[in-house]
Amino acid sequence: MSPFTGSAARTSDWRHLRCEITDGVATVTLARPEKLNALTFGAYADLRDLLAELSRERSVRALVLAGAGRGFCSGGDVDEIIGATLAMDTAQLLDFNRMTGQVVRAVRECPFPVIAAVHGVAAGAGAVLALAADFRVADPTARFSFLFTRVGLSGGDMGAAYLLPRVVGLGHATRLLMLGEPVRAAEAERIGLISQLADEGGADGAARTLARRLAEGPALAHAQTKALLTAELDMPLSAAVELDAATQALLMTGEDYREFHAAFTEKRPPKWQGR
């Protein structure tokens, strides 16, 4: 995403989530614990807009997405979203569904790694948010449920039918999206849905540790790796190899590439600049 901005000022107060930034690591917390962090229209919009702002500012090098209280996210709020959508016309429904998809695109397209810290329930849209992240760090209490068919909708919501087969394979994805049954941590780790299984109660801490490791590394190399992983999902090999070559040629002109060589020669750790 381009760092250039227009007249809009930086948002000073996010009403529907919490955001803290320390030494290049952003921690974004879904903060409706009394509702298992069920998403509202405002929460979707805030998350979409926050990711866009952080992407433009380029001060964040890693982001942890977490949920307050007993679980990660129980999905869309039954009263505030599902009930409300029953009164919407087709144009309004399309606007809403496009917005939820924009959140997933923002997670995939932001130029820094996103780590979902999952404990307890990650259901519906909450499961897709975790799926869209680059890493899913979960504790043994985590359970993922793609519930869309359970409410009479397609399991392919918010890009789930695109992302899930690429993470766990078509067979597992078909089962999870068709049946909507919960996948507990042990099975999620076995099929590749979890990147790292933490100790009970330790998902947030393990996610922050991973975020710090990423933030201290070569940020530009991480950004380009993420961009290539997303872009090359649908490319033939010849196009992917050419894009890899162009990307590497550009990075080889950067300061971080020169810094690695200097650090190797001087037998010291590199001092990454993200340039």
Side-chain angles (χ1 to χ4, degrees), residues 92-247:
Q92 292 170 315
L93 291 169
L94 186 56
D95 285 341
F96 165 65
N97 283 285
R98 281 176 171 161
M99 176 177 69
T100 65
Q102 288 164 0
V103 175
V104 170
R105 285 190 59 186
V107 174
R108 293 303 315 143
E109 294 174 4
C110 62
F112 42 78
V114 176
I115 304 104
V118 182
H119 69 288
V121 64
V128 182
L129 286 180
L131 174 65
D134 302 289
F135 300 88
R136 284 159 296 285
V137 177
D139 82 0
T141 68
R143 59 189 188 278
F144 299 82
S145 301
F146 297 87
L147 296 174
F148 305 108
T149 60
R150 295 286 188 95
V151 301
L153 297 176
S154 164
D157 194 49
M158 297 172 62
Y162 177 89
L163 292 170
L164 193 58
R166 289 163 168 82
V167 173
V168 302
L170 180 60
H172 289 306
T174 300
R175 173 172 59 90
L176 300 184
L177 295 182
M178 285 279 193
L179 300 179
E181 294 176 344
V183 181
R184 298 190 180 275
E187 182 187 1
E189 182 183 32
R190 177 178 64 81
I191 65 177
L193 186 54
I194 287 177
S195 311
Q196 178 183 337
L197 185 60
D199 294 333
E200 187 165 347
D204 286 3
R208 285 193 294 269
T209 298
L210 176 57
R212 172 55 46 211
R213 175 183 174 187
L214 290 162
E216 291 173 352
L220 186 57
H222 290 160
Q224 292 307 114
T225 301
K226 177 172 179 172
L228 292 180
L229 283 167
T230 298
E232 293 181 15
L233 285 172
D234 301 309
M235 283 187 181
L237 178 60
S238 58
V241 168
E242 180 62 23
L243 182 58
D244 287 351
T247 301

